[in-house]
């Protein structure tokens, strides 16, 4: 296949700008012509061919007229001859139509942009940057880094690489004379140097000076699911004078908090004979290290803090259990446990793990997770002076591959977990399995609130509940105690937002590994089983389970308050929040093992509506706080409620819950579900009603999150907690009310067909969500 030119590649990329995962494009989607919050003066356009409203295309990132088939190959680079690609493609990059306007937004005068680019192109094509020293200084290896991963390659596109190299090169003192000679003013050179200095993250550990003053011992506990890798780490925490647990989920933080306070985790140093013998089967931990009865002499006062909940046992409690994002990096601890360390590479949340690993002030840091994270941790800690110890673990019970079900749901057995990756498919499979077998099915998927996921898991785990089969998404792979005997993959591919892609080796192992959890199956033979519903998927499962761990190639970083402030000072006065973030994204110089965290442009737009007009009155820390808020940007119904919250905050600096949600159709839906529950009319429940309950729950989570950080402005904490509890009760009942006698969403499918819409899976659901929003904006 013919290789695309670089300019054609970028036209192709920008033909897909609506895809939110392409952060290099969406974060460049900036304009500050009218609003300091980054709003564009371009009016929204309606794409009549798709029947939905499109967001405004900012002026200097407008889609090109030429549409190119996105299935074409992206430019390939010879790893043994990177300089050739670098030198040959720079001219095409410099001709990109949006590049001058981006540089102007960074403070480069319009009449000097072309001079800067011309000088840069001349230096690159002359080979001045392709020397051995230049190869390292400008991190040219980025041009081939992650070519085996399409999504990663998009995130760190050629556009970002060239931008970063441009500012690194132009900021060098020895280039000042050349730049002045081609027409750049000294003020412009100073600005370039200030921006490059603001983006210098070459030694990431230096951003955490308090941690660098401690001689830390970092202990990694790595192994597959059900290997007991958390055992020694949690025992060390239970024995510490001061310490913290930081995990990925509120569910896990809550469990550690509860176990420590009850004395259910045996401290390190306690002899085996002193342990309580009864294992607690309700533990969600990687292995059963807690005990049902506990021991009062091991009880430790522990507080809990997550993004949406705080529990204070004692203001002076020596221990803390929290989500990773809430870990206090300024407090001195004796022991800190950071769980699921492989999430350091997560595109959206990985920054929290990177910050925790580099910045936590603890004498002893325990990192628990997959073997895949080892190379990244070694790279991160190379220059920190920390001692690194790696303990490796093997699975405690065997995992065997069984013969496929051959597309026959009657072969489902008690203790099976069927995994699928479409929310609508979960309920379809529930009906099919309940029709083909005598079993009832509990359900678990990502949109469910943690409380409901936990309750559904409890139903499945209870042998007397009547719920003997579990149907779930990949949410079953982390943070839930599940007595799964066998995992059945309905398929081994999932929709990523653009297309269906096979599960990675790590994802397959994480999900399959939930089968046969050690210590939870009584007198049954130890071990678990995994298989597929369709024969053709069994080969992927076998291949993944036999494959060695694939190391993570990068850890994620985000913009810290310190760097946010540095960029805001280096940019022109009154630069928008989006422009500050864009400068960080395009200019920051980082080692090859780091990657910028993905940003959701929808979420960014919503946040900037609030913080943009108030930027002068906010500290960098305040701004960074709002940027981290859990806005459900991909849920239009929830986002509409959140927009009301933010509008009230912007206009009055107070956010009354019921003033914002009282007339919402989502609240009306909650009332309708509660009436059905009171009248025990289970046949009235549809999955669309459940979806609306989930959307309102997301909005309440945002309100609780904000109330912990701005309690004066977001003062309706008691009201929002009560509403959140109502939603969780309604969701629990509604999920149980979905039965095989009720064809899912039949009325909505029929209505969609009348309007000529597709009615398959996600498509018709998105259409109804859009109709809901349109109705609220333009009621009939």
């Amino acid at each position: 296949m013919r290789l695309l030119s670089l300019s054609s590649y970028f036209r192709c990329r920008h033909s897909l700008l609506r895809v939110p995962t392409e952060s290099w494009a969406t974060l460049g989607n900036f304009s500050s012509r009218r609003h300091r919050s980054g709003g564009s003066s371009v009016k929204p356009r309606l794409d009549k061919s798709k029947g939905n409203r499109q967001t405004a295309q900012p002026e200097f990132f407008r889609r090109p007229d030429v549409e190119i088939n996105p299935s074409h190959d992206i430019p390939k680079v010879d790893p043994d001859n990177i300089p050739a690609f670098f030198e040959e493609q720079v001219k095409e990059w410099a001709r990109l139509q949006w590049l001058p306007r981006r540089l102007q937004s960074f403070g480069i005068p319009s009449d000097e942009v072309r001079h800067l680019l011309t000088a840069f192109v001349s230096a690159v094509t002359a080979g001045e940057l392709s020397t051995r020293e230049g190869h390292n200084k400008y991190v040219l290896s980025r041009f081939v880094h992650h070519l085996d991963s399409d999504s990663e390659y998009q995130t760190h596109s050629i556009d970002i690489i060239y931008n970063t190299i441009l500012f690194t090169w132009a900021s060098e003192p020895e280039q000042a004379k050349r730049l002045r000679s081609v027409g750049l003013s000294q003020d412009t050179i100073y600005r370039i140097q200030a921006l490059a200095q603001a983006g210098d993250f070459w030694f990431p550990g230096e951003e955490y000076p308090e941690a660098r003053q401690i001689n830390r011992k970092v202990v990694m506990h790595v192994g597959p699911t059900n290997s007991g890798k958390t055992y020694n780490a949690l025992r060390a925490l239970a024995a510490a004078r001061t310490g913290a647990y930081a995990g990925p989920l509120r569910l896990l933080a809550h469990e550690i908090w509860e176990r420590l306070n009850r004395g259910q985790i045996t401290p390190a140093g306690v002899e085996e004979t002193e342990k309580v013998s009864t294992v607690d089967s309700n533990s969600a931990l990687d292995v059963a290290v807690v005990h049902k009865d506990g021991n009062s002499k091991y009880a430790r006062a522990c507080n809990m803090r997550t993004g949406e909940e705080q529990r204070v046992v004692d203001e002076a409690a020596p221990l803390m259990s929290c989500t990773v994002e809430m870990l206090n990096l300024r407090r001195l601890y004796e022991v800190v446990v950071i769980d699921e360390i492989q999430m350091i590479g997560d595109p959206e949340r990985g920054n929290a793990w990177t910050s925790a690993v580099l910045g936590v002030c603890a004498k002893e840091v325990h990192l628990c997770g997959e073997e895949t994270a080892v190379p990244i941790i070694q790279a991160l800690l190379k220059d920190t002076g920390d001692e690194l110890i790696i303990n490796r673990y093997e699975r405690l019970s065997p995992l065997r591959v069984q013969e496929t079900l051959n597309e026959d749901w009657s072969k489902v057995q008690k203790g099976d977990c069927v995994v699928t990756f479409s929310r609508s498919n979960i309920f379809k499979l529930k009906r099919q399995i309940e029709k083909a077998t005598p079993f009832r099915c509990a359900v678990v998927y990502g949109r469910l609130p943690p409380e409901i996921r936990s309750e559904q898991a409890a139903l499945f785990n209870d042998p007397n509940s009547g719920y003997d089969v579990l149907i779930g998404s990949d949410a079953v792979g982390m943070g839930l105690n599940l007595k799964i005997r066998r995992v059945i993959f309905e398929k081994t591919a999932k929709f990523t937002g653009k297309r269906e892609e096979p599960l990675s080796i790590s994802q397959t192992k994480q999900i399959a590994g939930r089968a046969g959890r050690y210590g939870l199956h009584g007198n049954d033979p130890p071990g678990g089983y995994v298989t597929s519903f369709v024969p053709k998927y069994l080969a992927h499962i076998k291949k993944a389970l036999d494959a060695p761990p694939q190391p993570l190639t990068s850890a994620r970083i985000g913009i810290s308050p310190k760097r946010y402030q540095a960029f805001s000072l280096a940019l022109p006065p009154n630069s928008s929040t989006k422009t500050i973030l864009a400068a960080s994204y395009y200019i920051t110089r980082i080692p090859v093992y780091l990657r910028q965290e993905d940003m959701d442009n929808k979420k960014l737009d919503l946040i900037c509506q609030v913080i943009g007009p108030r930027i002068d009155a906010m500290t960098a820390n305040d701004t960074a706080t709002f940027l981290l808020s859990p806005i459900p940007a991909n849920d239009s119904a929830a986002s509409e409620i959140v927009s009301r919250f933010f509008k009230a905050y912007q206009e009055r600096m107070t956010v009354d819950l019921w003033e914002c949600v009282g007339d919402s159709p989502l609240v009306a839906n909650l009332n309708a579900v509660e009436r059905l529950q009171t009248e025990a009319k289970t046949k009235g429940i549809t999955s669309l009603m459940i979806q609306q309950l989930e959307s309102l729950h997301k909005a309440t989570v945002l309100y609780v999150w904000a109330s912990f950080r701005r309690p004066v402005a977001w003062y309706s904490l008691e009201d929002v907690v009560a509403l959140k509890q109502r939603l969780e009760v309604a969701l629990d009942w509604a999920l149980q009310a979905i039965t095989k006698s009720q064809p899912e969403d039949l009325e909505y499918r029929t209505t969609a067909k009348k309007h000529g819409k597709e009615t398959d899976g996600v498509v018709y659901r998105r259409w109804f969500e859009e109709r809901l929003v349109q109705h609220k904006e333009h009621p009939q």
Side-chain angles (χ1 to χ4, degrees), residues 668-693:
N669 175 71
L670 170 61
N671 294 332
V673 172
E674 289 177 331
R675 283 195 299 272
L676 291 172
Q677 182 179 5
T678 300
E679 299 168 3
K681 293 182 178 179
T682 58
K683 291 187 177 181
I685 291 294
T686 67
S687 64
L688 181 62
M689 298 174 81
I690 293 175
Q691 183 173 325
Q692 291 177 351
L693 293 175

Side-chain angles (χ1 to χ4, degrees), residues 469-487:
V469 174
L470 181 69
I471 304 174
S473 67
D474 44 358
V476 305
M478 186 185 301
L480 286 173
N481 157 58
L482 297 166
K483 297 181 182 179
I484 299 170
R485 170 58 69 187
R486 178 173 64 171
V487 169

Side-chain angles (χ1 to χ4, degrees), residues 425-483:
N425 213 34
I426 287 175
F427 292 103
K428 181 182 77 173
L429 295 184
K430 175 182 170 69
R431 292 193 304 274
Q432 291 177 350
I433 293 172
E434 289 180 344
K435 183 177 180 179
T437 71
F439 307 124
R440 296 171 69 189
C441 303
V443 295
V444 170
Y445 53 95
R447 281 186 57 135
L448 279 179
E451 295 84 358
I452 306 305
R453 272 186 275 178
S454 183
E455 290 173 7
Q456 288 287 303
L459 286 174
F460 172 70
N461 288 338
D462 183 353
N464 301 315
S465 71
Y467 288 83
D468 298 319
V469 174
L470 181 69
I471 304 174
S473 67
D474 44 358
V476 305
M478 186 185 301
L480 286 173
N481 157 58
L482 297 166
K483 297 181 182 179

Side-chain angles (χ1 to χ4, degrees), residues 62-256:
R62 195 176 293 154
R63 291 177 61 202
D65 295 330
V66 179
E67 294 284 350
I68 297 178
N69 186 346
S71 65
H72 283 307
D73 289 339
I74 60 177
K76 302 296 182 186
V77 187
D78 181 358
D80 297 323
N81 197 7
I82 298 173
F85 176 89
F86 175 47
E87 295 166 10
E88 291 169 4
Q89 298 295 338
V90 66
K91 290 182 180 179
E92 294 192 56
W93 169 78
R95 287 196 291 264
L96 296 176
Q97 62 181 5
W98 56 84
L99 181 56
R101 284 186 284 272
R102 179 196 298 152
L103 295 176
Q104 290 170 36
S105 75
F106 294 165
I108 313 299
S110 58
D111 58 343
E112 298 183 25
V113 166
R114 187 50 55 193
H115 299 317
L116 173 63
L117 292 174
T118 299
F120 178 65
V121 169
S122 177
V124 172
T125 55
E128 295 178 23
L129 284 72
S130 303
T131 63
R132 178 173 296 182
E133 179 186 0
H135 201 288
N136 295 325
K137 181 191 297 184
Y138 304 117
V139 203
L140 299 188
S141 56
R142 283 195 178 280
F143 284 110
V144 296
H145 203 42
H146 286 290
L147 279 182
D148 60 337
S149 177
D150 183 53
S151 61
E152 293 285 344
Y153 187 84
Q154 293 167 3
T155 303
H156 290 267
S157 67
I158 296 169
D159 192 15
I160 293 179
I161 300 170
Y162 272 118
N163 270 276
T164 304
I165 296 173
L166 168 64
F167 277 87
T168 302
W169 171 81
S171 67
E172 296 167 356
E174 57 266 31
Q175 303 302 332
K177 183 176 180 180
R178 169 189 271 181
L179 295 178
R180 283 194 298 268
S181 70
V182 299
L184 266 68
S185 68
Q186 188 61 48
D187 286 345
T188 299
I189 294 172
Y190 285 152
R191 186 177 301 281
I192 291 172
Q193 291 173 344
L195 286 168
Q197 184 177 358
D200 186 1
F201 202 65
W202 191 250
F203 296 102
E206 292 181 355
E207 187 151 312
Y208 308 93
E210 296 91 346
R212 301 291 74 79
Q213 296 173 13
I214 304 171
N215 294 322
R216 304 190 310 173
K217 180 169 75 171
V218 180
V219 184
M220 293 194 74
H221 305 271
V222 297
T225 304
N226 197 17
S227 62
K229 54 185 176 287
T230 57
Y231 182 84
N232 290 325
L234 289 173
R235 292 192 66 197
L237 176 62
R241 288 177 297 173
T242 60
Y245 167 87
L249 301 172
R250 182 164 63 92
L251 187 69
L252 287 172
H254 184 277
E255 173 168 345
I256 299 300

